DNA sequence: CGGACAAGTTTGCCAC
DNA sequence: GTGGCAAACTTGTCCG
């Protein structure tokens, strides 16, 4: 059994290990939030330059769909090859 | 105030109205589940014909992305026109 | 071997057959989405009448569990009767 | 008027400027997604060590609330001090 | 504050 | 039967 996987009444999780994990997650969450703020800033800057933010968001979303499509096509190819026993 | 919007201590919701809503929802849920089963059947039939189900699912998903893209482009156009004050 | 189940170098799926399957699936998916929208509409209507949607969802979920339980009890009864040769 | 804010018949957005904005946003979005993946990885690692991911998420959420609460208390204190002319 | 958008949670499905 | 993968539903967040 793992160090952390214990049953009821045996809840001696490794404090240090747990602490490390939580801190890493929180650090990453902070980073993620910061990047999110950066994105908001860019939209704000665009707005300041007179761009329509809603349109800008749609452009970004549309380009994302394109990217997803391309990614999906890659996967399709893999799937086809696999289905045909060519992988 | 609406018939149903009442405060604490005034919980005499309209039994008939509530019943009607719940029944309509449940009827629709049943219908939805039935359609879901139909879909499964078609995939089963395809499998019986020798098609690779996973590939089939990808095809459907890919075509959906295409449709989403087209819908998004329509919206984009509207948004552009609106942003340019042309609507 | 089925028409569709072929190996490497023999991957000539029946275009018409495949097309038919995909279209049937997409049609059903559309239908399913429509019913989903209908359900959302009913919840919206309930909300408009002052009902708490979250609570309403819980009610529907609870009743579903009840139905499932009753169905299982029926099945159990059948199983017992069958085991006793009483069917 | 800004370069980008123009009316009907004057919709010449600065292509380079727009391109730059979109690219900065997409770059940041990519970064954000990458950090999100990192977070998932850590949860995955935790799972591998036998931790219950759901509980872990709750812990992180709780600690976030605590932090927010502490931050609000700080702000409140500042506000009070400012109101009392003690800053 | 209400609706759109994104995140998280849960559920069902397929492969192993 | 189990565990990972993908879809659906629910919940929370942000903008208007």
């Amino acid at each position: 059994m793992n160090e952390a996987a214990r049953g009821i009444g045996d809840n001696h999780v490794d404090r240090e290990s747990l602490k490390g994990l939580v801190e890493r997650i929180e650090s990453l969450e902070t980073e993620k939030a910061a990047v999110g703020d950066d994105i908001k800033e860019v939209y704000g800057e665009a707005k300041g330059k007179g761009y329509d933010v809603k349109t800008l968001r749609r452009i970004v979303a549309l380009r994302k769909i394109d990217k997803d499509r391309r990614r999906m096509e890659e996967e399709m190819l893999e799937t086809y090859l696999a289905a045909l026993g060519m992988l």
Side-chain angles (χ1 to χ4, degrees), chain A:
Chain A
M1 181 187 278
N2 284 322
E3 290 303 317
R6 299 161 186 278
I8 296 175
D10 189 21
N11 50 2
H12 304 282
V13 301
D14 181 340
R15 182 184 163 75
E16 290 317 308
S17 163
L18 178 58
K19 192 156 175 268
L21 289 166
V22 169
E23 279 170 2
R24 279 166 64 200
I25 290 165
E26 287 177 341
S27 164
L28 289 167
E29 293 278 9
T30 303
E31 205 178 319
K32 195 177 163 207
V35 179
D37 288 346
D38 288 347
I39 293 171
K40 262 184 223 144
E41 264 184 59
V42 179
Y43 277 114
E45 180 185 328
K47 186 173 191 172
K49 287 181 179 167
Y51 287 101
D52 180 66
V53 173
K54 192 173 172 186
T55 303
L56 206 45
R57 283 189 186 277
R58 286 206 184 279
I59 290 170
V60 173
L62 191 48
R63 283 169 58 103
K64 185 170 187 308
I65 287 181
D66 284 349
K67 262 178 224 147
D68 289 347
R69 189 190 193 291
R70 252 172 259 126
R71 188 179 42 73
M72 190 83 180
E73 280 169 356
E74 294 285 328
E75 287 173 11
M76 276 296 300
L77 178 60
E78 295 260 330
T79 308
Y80 272 136
L81 294 177
L84 295 171
M86 297 175 72
L87 270 187

